[in-house]
Amino acid sequence: MSIDAQPPSRASGPSYGFSIRTHLLRLIAAVILPMLALAGVLAWYYGSAARQTIEAERLDVANNLANLLDREIGTLGGFLNGLSISPGFRSGEAGVVEVTAALARERGFEVLALFDRTGAPQLVVPPQARDLLVSGAEAGVPEVIGGRALYLSDLKEVAAAKPGLFFISVPVVVDGRVAYVLSGGVSPKRLQALFAEAGLRSGWGSGIVDRSGILVARSRDANLYVGKPAQPPMAAAAKGEAPSGLFDVVDRDGIDVRNSFYRSPLSGWTAGVAVPAAVVNAPMWHTVMILVVAAVFFIVVSLVLALLVAHRITRAVRQLGQAVVAFATGEPVSVPATTLAELRDVLSLIEGTAAVGPSRPYPPNRG
């Protein structure tokens, strides 16, 4: 028999278990699958944390916007308070009224009116802006007479100013008594600049809604939607009691968005921020895609390595089987080259034994 004789086939002997290749693949699966499961759990928590960060940030932006709104209303009210102590303005002096009209225009006021306690206008600045004026009740005269230091109306429809004006009113105190109410009508365009300061990210939307659920300002397409009712969930939030919160809705463009709102404590108006659901879920999907790509890569690499190692081991075992057959039949034993230390030791032992000759039989067991 030559050294190339093949070992007995599996079919001629007893049933065998798994092959070396199968054992290696099972070992790799036992190592990789738990690691992939752990990586999946970590990725899920990471994606959830990133999503929660965006959700918290959108509420912070709504809060920022509400604070900026309070600042703006406070600034406008401060101008009116300063103007209310001017005797020249109250008396209607032409020079004072002219300067006042210019200053008011710079600050966004379209019209100023001095109402008496009954709500009748005593002075309108500029005089030609009388068609921009609303009634004393709509301007908040009863509330200011009743003790309010500052009153902010909702957006009022004014035919001469589309989409309307909102009015800020303050008391005019004479001899320790509220004698008049000074009110100023402001265009909602004044509030459009607040969105740039609020920290909106690219792709996010935002709006400001008055107490009646009417849009007063909007970060996108303001010319189309300001003066119109907000979407029902936002209008309900503006009319409700909750100072802040979250809700989901499909926007006017048909995009699924995640909304947050925050009510201004000074004005009572509500600021809302809308983030597309795709943006909120992007960290999660990004992490999942990275995990899937990494998993496929490592599985393919592991399978290739397992097949290569299994092939080398199988080949060495077959060579060992050939050497054993040669030794058993008394033929010359040729030791093939192998890089497996254990198999190399066994083959060397067989070669050395074959060179010495067959060993004597063991003595019979006399025990």
Side-chain angles (χ1 to χ4, degrees):
M1 180 182 294
S2 66
I3 194 69
D4 294 330
Q6 298 296 321
S9 65
R10 295 184 180 182
S12 61
S15 61
Y16 285 81
F18 294 109
S19 66
I20 293 176
R21 182 182 293 107
T22 303
H23 280 296
L24 285 175
L25 293 178
R26 293 176 66 186
L27 176 61
I28 290 173
V31 173
I32 288 183
L33 292 181
M35 294 179 62
L36 291 178
L38 177 60
V41 172
L42 293 177
W44 175 266
Y45 278 108
Y46 172 79
S48 297
R51 182 172 57 187
Q52 290 171 4
T53 298
I54 294 177
E55 292 178 347
E57 187 176 355
R58 64 178 176 171
L59 190 56
D60 287 341
V61 172
N63 186 13
N64 292 342
L65 188 57
N67 290 333
L68 290 171
L69 175 61
D70 286 351
R71 183 202 67 185
E72 192 69 15
I73 299 302
T75 299
L76 295 174
F79 173 77
L80 293 178
N81 281 322
L83 190 59
S84 68
I85 62 176
S86 170
F89 177 77
R90 293 200 303 265
S91 62
E93 293 182 13
V96 175
V97 169
E98 183 178 353
V99 172
T100 299
L103 292 174
R105 193 74 177 181
E106 291 176 2
R107 286 159 176 79
F109 288 100
E110 301 291 331
V111 60
L112 297 176
L114 188 67
F115 293 95
D116 62 18
R117 292 178 62 89
T118 66
Q122 302 299 306
L123 176 66
V124 178
V125 179
Q128 64 271 21
R130 185 172 289 272
D131 56 346
L132 299 178
L133 198 60
V134 295
S135 67
E138 291 179 302
V141 171
E143 285 80 1
V144 176
I145 296 296
R148 292 278 294 272
L150 184 145
Y151 175 81
L152 174 66
S153 75
D154 290 333
L155 189 64
K156 302 297 181 182
E157 291 186 8
V158 179
K162 295 293 184 181
L165 302 175
F166 61 89
F167 288 81
I168 301 173
S169 301
V170 299
V172 177
V173 179
V174 179
D175 298 329
R177 176 175 175 269
V178 179
Y180 303 97
V181 173
L182 178 60
S183 183
V186 185
S187 171
K189 295 179 181 179
R190 168 82 181 190
L191 304 178
Q192 288 298 129
L194 301 182
F195 297 111
E197 299 182 60
L200 284 177
R201 289 189 182 186
S202 176
W204 292 18
S206 184
I208 299 174
V209 180
D210 66 18
R211 292 179 294 268
S212 63
I214 301 298
L215 276 165
V216 183
R218 197 172 188 266
S219 61
R220 296 195 298 254
D221 300 325
N223 57 325
L224 296 178
Y225 297 112
V226 169
K228 296 181 180 180
Q231 288 190 289
M234 188 63 194
K239 298 175 184 178
E241 299 296 330
S244 62
L246 306 171
F247 64 88
D248 301 338
V249 71
V250 177
D251 68 9
R252 300 176 192 270
D253 299 322
I255 300 174
D256 185 19
V257 294
R258 305 290 185 260
N259 276 51
S260 63
F261 68 90
Y262 192 92
R263 180 173 291 104
S264 162
L266 176 63
S267 65
W269 290 1
T270 303
V273 174
V275 182
V279 174
V280 176
N281 296 325
M284 178 72 71
W285 291 116
H286 180 70
T287 304
V288 169
M289 289 302 300
I290 292 178
L291 178 62
V292 170
V293 172
V296 170
F297 173 78
F298 284 115
I299 289 174
V300 170
V301 170
S302 300
L303 290 176
V304 171
L305 292 177
L307 293 175
L308 290 176
V309 172
H311 175 72
R312 293 177 68 89
I313 294 176
T314 303
R315 179 183 176 187
V317 170
R318 287 176 178 171
Q319 291 173 341
L320 176 61
Q322 293 172 357
V324 170
V325 170
F327 175 75
T329 58
E331 297 183 3
V333 177
S334 174
V335 179
T338 177
T339 58
L340 298 177
E342 292 79 2
L343 292 179
R344 188 169 59 244
D345 294 341
V346 173
L347 288 171
S348 298
L349 179 61
I350 293 174
E351 183 182 34
T353 304
V356 173
S359 61
R360 290 182 298 176
Y362 290 106
N365 185 5
R366 300 179 182 275

